Amino acid sequence: MGRILVVDDEPDLRFLLHRFFERAGHEVTEAGDGADALAAVRQSYPDLVVTDMMMPVMSGVELIHHLRADPATAKIPVMAVSADCHLAVGADVALGKPYQRAALLEAAERLLREGRGTT
């Protein structure tokens, strides 16, 4: 099982994602925007980042850019979960909202197992 950071500005969606991943046996932390997520990543590297794209303060696009630009975080797999998947440049997987729970968990498991560049 892995350590997953869920990033979304909508508390209800964060809660839902948290529950899905937690029930699948993962350790889950949360952030409400990209800036908080970047701080959380630097404090404790997750095995996977699951992020929305459109958020205040720092978007998912900017978060992914910062993660990929830093050699210490460049290899962390990123799954974008967004209504606007075309914004998910740099993400390893992009799932549109609404998504199927099974597809979400399957993609997360694959990224946790195989890492970046596998999907």
Side-chain angles (χ1 to χ4, degrees), residues 3-9 14 29-53 55-68 70 73 76-79:
R3 291 172 292 127
I4 299 174
L5 173 61
V6 171
V7 188
D8 200 305
D9 59 319
R14 270 197 325 269
T29 55
E30 300 178 18
D33 61 57
D36 287 344
L38 198 55
V41 165
R42 289 181 174 146
Q43 186 174 36
S44 176
Y45 295 118
D47 299 313
L48 173 64
V49 173
V50 178
T51 187
D52 186 21
M53 291 287 95
M55 297 178 288
V57 183
M58 180 188 289
S59 71
V61 175
E62 294 169 294
L63 171 62
I64 293 170
H65 175 77
H66 285 287
L67 292 173
R68 298 297 181 241
D70 183 346
T73 59
I76 297 172
V78 176
M79 180 190 311

Side-chain angles (χ1 to χ4, degrees), residues 6-119:
V6 171
V7 188
D8 200 305
D9 59 319
E10 294 291 332
D12 291 341
L13 293 176
R14 270 197 325 269
F15 175 80
L16 185 64
L17 289 168
H18 188 124
R19 292 291 297 264
F20 285 164
F21 292 128
E22 191 173 65
R23 287 182 176 175
H26 301 289
E27 179 184 325
V28 183
T29 55
E30 300 178 18
D33 61 57
D36 287 344
L38 198 55
V41 165
R42 289 181 174 146
Q43 186 174 36
S44 176
Y45 295 118
D47 299 313
L48 173 64
V49 173
V50 178
T51 187
D52 186 21
M53 291 287 95
M54 296 186 303
M55 297 178 288
V57 183
M58 180 188 289
S59 71
V61 175
E62 294 169 294
L63 171 62
I64 293 170
H65 175 77
H66 285 287
L67 292 173
R68 298 297 181 241
D70 183 346
T73 59
K75 293 187 179 183
I76 297 172
V78 176
M79 180 190 311
V81 180
S82 180
D84 293 315
C85 287
H86 69 278
L87 296 175
V89 176
D92 298 291
V93 171
L95 292 178
K97 290 179 182 176
Y99 48 82
Q100 297 292 321
R101 183 175 59 96
L104 175 83
L105 293 174
E106 179 183 315
E109 294 297 335
R110 187 171 53 248
L111 286 170
L112 287 166
R113 184 176 55 252
E114 299 172 9
R116 290 206 62 222
T118 59
T119 56

